[in-house]
């Protein structure tokens, strides 16, 4: 299980739940259910990190819950 913050919300436009990881730009997944979106984002997080490492890009360390002002 990832330690990155995951934001999950319903999208009427996509007719599905969307899961995003703010600390990993462009890292997002969808699913017909909340649980499916969560499961899918865990896979995408691992793939995002692998791709970033292969490309020589830095990977942010998980900060846990982000606080916005």
């Amino acid at each position: 299980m990832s330690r990155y913050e995951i934001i999950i919300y319903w999208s009427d436009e996509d007719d599905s739940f969307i899961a995003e990881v703010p600390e990993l730009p462009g890292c997002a997944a969808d699913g017909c259910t909340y649980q499916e979106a969560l499961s899918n984002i865990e896979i995408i997080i691992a793939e995002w990190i692998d791709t970033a490492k292969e490309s020589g890009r830095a990977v942010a360390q998980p900060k846990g819950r982000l606080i916005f002002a």
Side-chain angles (χ1 to χ4, degrees):
M1 177 176 231
S2 170
R3 294 186 301 163
Y4 288 97
E5 178 181 43
I6 299 169
I7 298 172
I8 301 177
Y9 58 91
W10 176 256
S11 170
D12 285 331
E13 181 179 334
D14 299 305
D15 196 31
S16 62
F17 286 92
I18 306 296
E20 297 180 348
V21 182
E23 294 170 277
L24 305 176
C27 186
D30 65 353
C32 293
T33 66
Y34 185 96
Q35 292 77 14
E36 183 179 17
L38 182 58
S39 177
N40 290 342
I41 196 66
E42 291 290 342
I43 294 166
I44 298 302
I45 289 169
E47 291 176 359
W48 191 102
I49 291 170
D50 288 344
T51 300
K53 287 179 180 178
E54 289 171 6
S55 301
R57 293 183 301 182
V59 177
Q61 291 299 312
K63 296 178 184 172
R65 184 166 186 254
L66 300 180
I67 299 174
F68 296 96

